[in-house]
Amino acid sequence: MKEIRVSAPATVANVVCGFDCLGFALSAPNDEMLVRLIDEKTVRIINCDEYTLPTEPKKNVAGAALLSMLRAIDEDFGFEVEITKHIKPGSGIGSSSASAAGAVVAANHLLNQRFTKRELVEFAMDGEVVASGARHADNVAPCVFGGFTLVRSNHPLDIVELEFPPLFVTVVHPQIEVKTSDAREILKQKIALKDAVAQWSNVAALVAGLQKGDYQLIARSLEDRIIEPIRSILIPKFDEIKRESKAAGALGGGISGSGPSIFMLSETETTARAVENAMRDVYAATEIEFNIYVSPINASGVTIADN
Ligand code: HSE
């Protein structure tokens, strides 16, 4: 096989209480990528969308991830990648991770599955760092593995795949850009012990709730004492979106990744649609433009598209 087309999903990182460790994949939106083998040991990027992302491979997240993979193999060939992004950069739903993860999963198919999923996450993290300035796997892990993942450690990389019950996600993306690097810079480097205790109790309870399919425990655990109070100030109408979504039946939710997108989890699609309407009403009363996505959690991660 000389080329392959893949679909790389958006992801939600942090999942409220799990800053830099929890994440899950969405079923929509997805980036489309075509990766082909070329005779030169290099990476070429072709952008097929309106986002004018860098084409210099080491400055492009897909390019940097593939360069990392090429360094790990002793071969004379390289990769050319055509990228059509549908996940807007800076949206908070793992746009850079989709590019990085999609590229390495596709390339690995062309290499007859030479690398494990864990190794692919390592390569993708080398891409992610180009965009966010930090080497974290909470978006790339669910993008590669699918489903809900917990990154117990970034170095050495230790990824735990979590069980989860049926869940529907409503994500609203107000059309403002929040750079992950900026959203990380404003965070406090030290936190109070009582807040740390509340946070790790919530993470543990959320994981237990997911494993047991206990929706009420999931709802109670979706609480963030540390990151949300600081970052939510960057997101217009954050408190109102959260309040109205819960009134519409959402289990809970919060900032998706570093924002500005806000996600809510619901037990059924009907509730997720009611949450969509509640979110729409909040932003429709403002000048803010927005997109909304409703989808189940995506258990597959990056998938091979029709080739
Ligand atoms: N965990 C990261 C953050 C996700 O919140 O900064 C964004 O890439």
Side-chain angles (χ1 to χ4, degrees):
M1 197 192 297
K2 287 280 192 288
E3 65 175 40
I4 191 160
R5 200 178 286 279
V6 296
S7 178
T11 47
V12 169
N14 300 338
V15 199
V16 185
C17 50
F19 178 68
D20 273 1
C21 63
L22 284 176
F24 60 78
L26 294 165
S27 301
N30 286 270
D31 284 348
E32 295 167 63
M33 303 177 79
L34 177 71
V35 178
R36 63 174 67 92
L37 291 172
I38 53 174
D39 289 337
E40 208 182 327
K41 185 157 182 157
T42 190
V43 174
R44 286 192 218 126
I45 303 289
I46 302 167
N47 292 319
C48 309
D49 48 49
E50 77 266 32
Y51 296 119
T52 60
L53 292 171
T55 49
E56 196 184 328
K58 63 176 192 288
K59 292 189 180 161
N60 177 288
V61 290
L66 288 172
L67 285 172
S68 173
M69 186 184 236
L70 275 185
R71 280 192 294 274
I73 57 178
D74 185 22
E75 304 280 3
D76 290 333
F77 54 75
F79 302 106
E80 182 172 84
V81 196
E82 291 179 18
I83 309 173
T84 309
K85 291 201 73 63
H86 300 290
I87 310 168
K88 201 168 178 178
S91 53
I93 48 174
S95 179
S96 52
S97 300
S99 297
V104 296
V105 170
N108 198 40
H109 276 277
L110 299 176
L111 297 177
N112 295 320
Q113 313 292 352
R114 194 175 301 190
F115 295 103
T116 63
K117 285 187 174 177
R118 190 190 151 285
E119 289 168 323
L120 295 180
V121 172
E122 293 267 15
F123 298 137
M125 285 167 81
D126 287 338
E128 173 76 64
V129 74
V130 172
S132 73
R135 207 168 181 284
H136 50 85
D138 52 345
N139 284 106
V140 285
C143 200
V144 170
F145 282 84
F148 225 117
T149 56
L150 168 76
V151 182
R152 194 201 61 82
S153 155
N154 279 313
H155 189 73
L157 189 58
D158 188 357
I159 296 164
V160 184
E161 288 181 82
L162 303 175
E163 284 173 31
F164 58 95
L167 282 167
F168 290 83
V169 193
T170 314
V171 181
V172 62
H173 174 208
Q175 303 288 296
I176 54 165
E177 190 178 347
V178 173
K179 283 209 166 74
T180 299
S181 47
D182 295 342
R184 292 181 81 81
E185 218 151 80
I186 60 172
L187 298 176
K188 289 186 203 159
Q189 292 303 312
K190 290 191 176 157
I191 57 170
L193 183 60
K194 66 175 175 28
D195 291 334
V197 172
Q199 200 83 353
W200 60 57
S201 303
N202 277 317
V203 173
L206 177 56
V207 170
L210 291 168
Q211 304 281 125
K212 291 167 21 151
D214 182 338
Y215 290 104
Q216 288 318 307
L217 182 56
I218 293 170
R220 293 199 300 283
S221 311
L222 289 169
E223 184 196 36
D224 175 7
R225 303 257 186 114
I226 297 169
I227 310 295
E228 184 179 290
I230 298 171
R231 284 183 169 173
S232 59
I233 293 159
L234 303 173
I235 305 172
K237 301 280 175 193
F238 177 81
D239 292 337
E240 215 172 318
I241 289 277
K242 208 169 149 178
R243 191 178 60 240
E244 296 304 318
S245 297
K246 284 193 184 178
L251 296 168
I255 304 170
S256 175
S258 56
S261 290
I262 305 167
F263 81 97
M264 288 286 149
L265 291 176
S266 297
E267 200 175 328
T268 65
E269 185 172 4
T270 308
T271 308
R273 293 280 169 204
V275 171
E276 175 188 12
N277 290 336
M279 289 174 164
R280 198 177 291 284
D281 287 347
V282 172
Y283 278 135
T286 71
E287 302 283 293
I288 301 159
E289 291 187 23
F290 58 94
N291 287 331
I292 303 188
Y293 306 97
V294 178
S295 83
I297 289 184
N298 165 358
S300 315
V302 178
T303 50
I304 309 302
D306 293 337
N307 280 279

